[in-house]
Amino acid sequence: MRGSLHDVDGFIIDLDGTVYRGKEIIEGVPETVALLKEAGKRVLFLSNRGNISRKMCYDKLCGMGLAVAEEEIMLSSTATARYLQQNNPGCQAWVLGEQGLKDELIAGGIALAAKPEEADWLVITLHETLTYHDLNQAFRAVRSGARIIATNADKTFPGDGGDCIDVAGMIGAIVASTGKEADVVIGKPSRFMAETALQELGLPADRCIVIGDSLESDIGLGKQAGMKTALVWSGSTKKGTAIPEERRPDWIWDSINDLRALL
Amino acid sequence: MRGSLHDVDGFIIDLDGTVYRGKEIIEGVPETVALLKEAGKRVLFLSNRGNISRKMCYDKLCGMGLAVAEEEIMLSSTATARYLQQNNPGCQAWVLGEQGLKDELIAGGIALAAKPEEADWLVITLHETLTYHDLNQAFRAVRSGARIIATNADKTFPGDGGDCIDVAGMIGAIVASTGKEADVVIGKPSRFMAETALQELGLPADRCIVIGDSLESDIGLGKQAGMKTALVWSGSTKKGTAIPEERRPDWIWDSINDLRALL
């Protein structure tokens, strides 16, 4: 394990499993984040959540007692709006997903199509109130020529009563029935998500660390982008899990609170 | 094109696009079927419909004025029940699909599991009232070890307002989120569907003809099984469509009524 975090200026912190679990904050996190800021560090909360808006996430974190600015949050929904704005300004989007994503696209300057047939892009995210009608509308968007972009491609998320089917299922339904592949997947560990995070922080990769509970999403993103990485046992990865060489993080902590000793 | 149908004893007839379109019978079909029976031919209606029971289909055909016995109908739902009964008697099934399939499984002697976690098989068919909860229950069945069987794997079906997302979408959602492939797909053009049809008719393949509107499902099934084949333009295949050599049928008709001249 490496020594201190003195030469790290930007802290890219995952949310689910790192800051909170479900509706509960992980003990000590508000104090740890406050310490980071007192030490003059820059902080960005980076999450694959694509079905909520930044505003919704901000309200949730504030409600949990975390002192955070809305600009310190980057969700895959936020990043998806930014991708479309950068790569296809003026495009129209059809959403297979929830209101949070729609809000975030509109906030990011992306117009929502009035009909699926008029969409340039089908944007897919987790949709926990999905119906057959929703699937069929999304199917029609793609059959009418819309390209497919997904906020993320996670297969499962921990929900009430165990693991639940996540965005990968929604993508699979559209891909299998239309024969078209997803053109873009935004979420961690994508290069776009890493670049967006660095842009937000205004720092080079080697002065940043990614802290998260997922070997694939968090450690994967950090290592690919040349950042430092820390795995926490407080979320989906069980303590003691065997870690393949290419995913070995610079630090392994019980929780993000362990970083206090290294500041 | 071949000559007469004198040496053909068994007529395997597709339903959607061959006998009816949506809720309307194709003109002349009741008379044509009556002529076949008067000529001493055996008839079996073979459909990839997996979301209805044989009884429901029988009622529909009778309501359209077609003289048919319930035993002359073989749906992919009926065949799925038979497959499970033959290959895994005593198994428990969880259904991602509608009541018609549940009825048909029960009629075929297959027990429905009380919880997804207890299922040996997840049976997937078209589900036009599907919700996220239904998808998640199916996901949990497979995560708990259930194998996947699908009544068919059609990508689209013609519905109100155009083509609609079909069973392939439902299969895609489960396969992509669980990482498990479908173990069995029952519907046309599968070998099991062909064998089941021949068994019902009690005839060898070379004395049977498949009549349908799909090059893949109907002509594909007939040619693979060594039956004669006739394509009709009355359904999903547009008149004049270029036909690849391996799918070339023995006859091409405007509708099934053209067979009258060959009896």
Side-chain angles (χ1 to χ4, degrees), chain A residues 88-145:
Chain A
N88 197 354
C91 73
Q92 292 197 53
W94 186 265
V95 170
L96 176 61
E98 287 152 26
Q99 192 58 41
L101 174 59
K102 293 179 187 170
D103 291 348
E104 200 64 0
L105 289 174
I106 293 167
I110 304 302
L112 302 185
K115 296 177 188 172
E117 291 79 4
E118 295 170 1
D120 302 300
W121 290 90
L122 170 68
V123 191
I124 306 180
T125 192
L126 172 62
H127 191 353
E128 290 185 82
T129 55
L130 172 146
T131 65
Y132 176 82
H133 178 73
D134 297 323
L135 274 185
N136 200 41
Q137 296 281 77
F139 165 82
R140 286 187 173 171
V142 175
R143 292 263 290 187
S144 302

Side-chain angles (χ1 to χ4, degrees), chain B residues 10-229:
Chain B
F11 286 71
I12 297 170
I13 304 171
D14 172 53
L15 287 173
D16 207 343
T18 304
V19 164
Y20 54 72
R21 277 188 294 258
K23 286 171 184 151
E24 285 185 28
I25 190 105
I26 292 170
E27 208 186 319
V29 171
E31 294 78 6
T32 298
V33 171
L35 276 173
L36 280 176
K37 292 188 175 183
E38 282 166 35
K41 307 295 189 185
R42 300 211 59 191
V43 170
L44 183 74
F45 295 96
L46 189 73
S47 168
N48 265 4
R49 273 281 178 171
N51 61 335
I52 59 173
S53 68
R54 190 138 73 153
K55 177 71 173 63
M56 290 161 75
C57 185
Y58 169 78
D59 290 342
K60 176 174 181 169
L61 294 176
C62 289
M64 288 173 162
L66 201 71
V68 59
E70 208 171 308
E71 296 70 33
E72 289 172 329
I73 301 168
M74 175 56 62
L75 307 172
S76 66
S77 53
T78 326
T80 298
R82 196 169 294 189
Y83 178 91
L84 290 174
Q85 188 58 266
Q86 286 173 6
N87 291 276
N88 197 354
C91 72
Q92 293 197 54
W94 186 264
V95 169
L96 176 59
E98 288 152 25
Q99 192 58 42
L101 173 59
K102 293 179 187 170
D103 292 347
E104 201 65 359
L105 289 174
I106 293 167
I110 304 302
L112 302 185
K115 296 177 187 171
E117 291 80 3
E118 294 171 359
D120 302 299
W121 290 91
L122 170 67
V123 190
I124 305 181
T125 192
L126 173 61
H127 191 353
E128 290 185 79
T129 55
L130 171 146
T131 65
Y132 176 82
H133 178 73
D134 296 324
L135 274 184
N136 201 40
Q137 296 281 78
F139 165 83
R140 286 185 174 174
V142 175
R143 291 263 291 189
S144 302
R147 283 183 282 172
I148 303 171
I149 183 170
T151 59
N152 56 316
D154 294 69
K155 288 180 171 145
T156 72
F157 70 95
D160 297 336
D163 282 351
C164 295
I165 184 169
D166 204 345
V167 189
M170 276 103 262
I171 301 170
I174 301 305
V175 165
S177 58
T178 61
K180 300 277 172 63
E181 291 299 319
D183 288 87
V184 187
V185 176
I186 290 293
K188 297 182 280 184
S190 81
R191 179 186 295 263
F192 182 78
M193 200 74 166
E195 284 169 359
T196 302
L198 293 173
Q199 216 169 6
E200 285 294 288
L201 289 169
L203 290 168
D206 62 1
R207 298 195 70 81
C208 293
I209 183 172
V210 180
I211 305 168
D213 69 329
S214 166
L215 284 167
E216 191 179 336
S217 297
D218 301 311
I219 308 307
L221 174 131
K223 289 187 90 78
Q224 281 171 42
M227 304 175 192
K228 295 178 180 64
T229 53

Side-chain angles (χ1 to χ4, degrees), chain A residues 1-256:
Chain A
M1 300 294 137
R2 294 178 179 237
S4 86
L5 291 164
H6 288 164
D7 57 346
V8 177
D9 297 315
F11 286 71
I12 297 171
I13 304 171
D14 172 53
L15 287 173
D16 207 344
T18 304
V19 164
Y20 55 72
R21 276 187 296 259
K23 289 170 182 151
E24 285 184 27
I25 191 104
I26 292 170
E27 207 186 320
V29 171
E31 294 77 8
T32 298
V33 170
L35 277 175
L36 281 176
K37 292 188 176 183
E38 282 166 37
K41 308 295 188 184
R42 300 211 58 192
V43 170
L44 183 74
F45 296 95
L46 189 74
S47 167
N48 266 3
R49 272 280 179 173
N51 61 334
I52 58 173
S53 67
R54 190 138 74 152
K55 177 71 172 66
M56 289 161 76
C57 185
Y58 170 77
D59 290 344
K60 176 174 179 170
L61 293 177
C62 288
M64 287 173 162
L66 202 70
V68 59
E70 208 171 309
E71 296 68 34
E72 289 173 329
I73 301 168
M74 176 57 60
L75 308 173
S76 66
S77 53
T78 324
T80 298
R82 194 168 293 189
Y83 178 92
L84 291 174
Q85 188 58 267
Q86 286 173 6
N87 291 276
N88 197 354
C91 73
Q92 292 197 53
W94 186 265
V95 170
L96 176 61
E98 287 152 26
Q99 192 58 41
L101 174 59
K102 293 179 187 170
D103 291 348
E104 200 64 0
L105 289 174
I106 293 167
I110 304 302
L112 302 185
K115 296 177 188 172
E117 291 79 4
E118 295 170 1
D120 302 300
W121 290 90
L122 170 68
V123 191
I124 306 180
T125 192
L126 172 62
H127 191 353
E128 290 185 82
T129 55
L130 172 146
T131 65
Y132 176 82
H133 178 73
D134 297 323
L135 274 185
N136 200 41
Q137 296 281 77
F139 165 82
R140 286 187 173 171
V142 175
R143 292 263 290 187
S144 302
R147 283 182 283 171
I148 303 171
I149 183 170
T151 59
N152 57 315
D154 295 68
K155 288 181 170 142
T156 71
F157 70 94
D160 296 336
D163 281 351
C164 295
I165 183 171
D166 204 343
V167 189
M170 276 103 262
I171 301 171
I174 300 305
V175 164
S177 58
T178 61
K180 302 278 173 63
E181 291 298 320
D183 288 87
V184 187
V185 176
I186 290 292
K188 296 181 280 184
S190 81
R191 179 186 295 262
F192 182 78
M193 200 73 167
E195 285 168 358
T196 302
L198 292 174
Q199 215 168 9
E200 286 295 290
L201 289 169
L203 290 168
D206 62 1
R207 299 195 70 80
C208 292
I209 184 173
V210 180
I211 305 168
D213 69 330
S214 165
L215 284 168
E216 190 179 337
S217 297
D218 301 310
I219 308 307
L221 174 130
K223 289 187 89 80
Q224 281 170 41
M227 304 174 192
K228 295 179 180 61
T229 53
L231 178 73
V232 291
W233 296 128
S234 55
S236 62
T237 305
K238 288 213 179 87
K239 189 163 184 170
T241 298
I243 299 174
E245 184 57 38
E246 72 277 12
R247 288 273 185 274
R248 192 147 303 166
D250 297 304
W251 288 275
I252 300 181
W253 300 329
D254 281 335
S255 81
I256 189 174

Side-chain angles (χ1 to χ4, degrees), chain B residues 221-258:
Chain B
L221 174 131
K223 289 187 90 78
Q224 281 171 42
M227 304 175 192
K228 295 178 180 64
T229 53
L231 178 73
V232 291
W233 297 128
S234 55
S236 62
T237 306
K238 286 213 179 86
K239 191 165 182 169
T241 298
I243 300 174
E245 184 56 36
E246 73 277 12
R247 286 274 186 272
R248 193 147 301 167
D250 298 303
W251 288 274
I252 299 181
W253 301 328
D254 281 336
S255 82
I256 190 175
N257 298 317
D258 289 8

